Amino acid sequence: MRVFKYALIRLAVFFVVWGACMLLNLGWIFSTIAAAVIALAVGYLFFNDLRTGAGQDVASAWEGRGKTERFASEQADADAEDSYTEGRYFEPGSESGPWEPKDK
């Protein structure tokens, strides 16, 4: 919910500033750039708690989908990839493929 509120506040500030710039006949390119920069600054300076809360909401939603919630086909693909790469050595920075484990 905080993401939605923060987005609405930023959009409202953007359109208010954009409209004011357009009324002053500053041109649509300058108006758009000025409105974007000012909306960013206002959101960053005056709505810091809402911004950080929205970031936490997004992070928790992103992390919330754990390995137990994978689809069956996604889990099967992950298991196949893990079994293929297990015990193999991949040369860092190489795109050509796996090598056998190096003898130590």
Side-chain angles (χ1 to χ4, degrees), residues 21-94:
C21 289
M22 290 300 286
L23 287 174
L24 295 172
N25 293 325
L26 296 177
W28 68 272
I29 293 175
F30 180 78
S31 298
T32 303
I33 293 171
V37 169
I38 291 172
L40 177 85
V42 166
Y44 187 78
L45 294 173
F46 298 111
F47 299 105
N48 192 37
D49 292 338
L50 191 57
R51 180 180 57 84
T52 56
Q56 290 171 353
D57 287 352
V58 170
S60 66
W62 188 264
E63 293 172 353
R65 184 172 175 227
K67 293 182 180 183
T68 58
E69 297 178 20
R70 286 185 171 176
F71 295 113
S73 61
E74 186 179 4
Q75 186 62 45
D77 287 346
D79 292 341
E81 290 171 1
D82 291 344
S83 66
Y84 178 75
T85 58
E86 189 174 323
R88 293 180 185 239
Y89 172 74
F90 288 87
E91 188 71 35
S94 173

